[in-house]
Amino acid sequence: MRIGVVTIALSVFTSVQLLFAAPVKSQPIDKVEINLGFNNETLFQAFQKIESKTTFYFIYRNDEVKNVRDLNIKSSRHSVEWFLKAILANTSLTYHQLNNKILIMSWEKDI
């Protein structure tokens, strides 16, 4: 009987904590710094490298990123945002952060 009461009390206490827990937010990409470099790499490979060094992951359409190649950046320490701006600079792509997800999308509007 005693074990049952303790178990129920513990379950209720845990449930109440979960109900009132604040949502977890990821750090902004301009605040997370990493050491990284690219040597004739594709955009896909660049995303993989950033994902391996951070908690971020990328969402994109393969057909929009597959032709971005030959990325070259000397190994250095910068924010994730700095690297994104650098690797997307000569493309029609942009990014938007949503928690720990980074959405890569075309900024060209269809008319």
Side-chain angles (χ1 to χ4, degrees):
M1 177 75 176
R2 218 173 203 201
I3 293 175
V5 172
V6 171
T7 303
I8 291 172
L10 186 59
S11 296
V12 169
F13 179 72
T14 303
S15 298
V16 169
Q17 283 184 324
L18 289 174
L19 285 173
F20 294 106
V24 175
K25 291 189 178 181
S26 181
Q27 286 186 298
I29 57 177
D30 65 332
K31 303 291 185 216
V32 177
E33 290 197 349
I34 53 176
N35 287 317
L36 200 58
F38 305 114
N39 186 21
N40 292 321
E41 297 183 48
T42 65
L43 189 55
F44 177 73
Q45 290 170 317
F47 291 158
Q48 285 182 319
K49 279 188 167 184
I50 294 170
E51 286 176 339
S52 72
K53 293 185 175 275
T54 67
T55 59
F56 300 117
Y57 65 93
F58 291 89
I59 301 170
Y60 53 87
R61 290 183 175 166
N62 285 329
D63 60 323
E64 290 182 342
V65 302
K66 69 181 178 184
N67 294 323
V68 181
R69 306 175 181 279
D70 302 321
L71 297 173
N72 291 294
I73 296 177
K74 188 175 179 178
S75 186
S76 55
R77 183 170 184 82
H78 293 288
S79 70
V80 172
E81 182 177 47
W82 186 94
F83 282 108
L84 283 176
K85 286 180 178 180
I87 63 179
L88 298 178
N90 295 317
T91 72
S92 63
L93 300 172
T94 189
Y95 61 89
H96 178 75
Q97 180 186 2
L98 181 61
N99 295 324
N100 67 331
K101 296 178 264 322
I102 301 173
L103 175 63
I104 304 297
M105 60 198 151
S106 177
W107 56 264
E108 296 179 332
K109 291 186 178 182
D110 294 328
I111 298 177

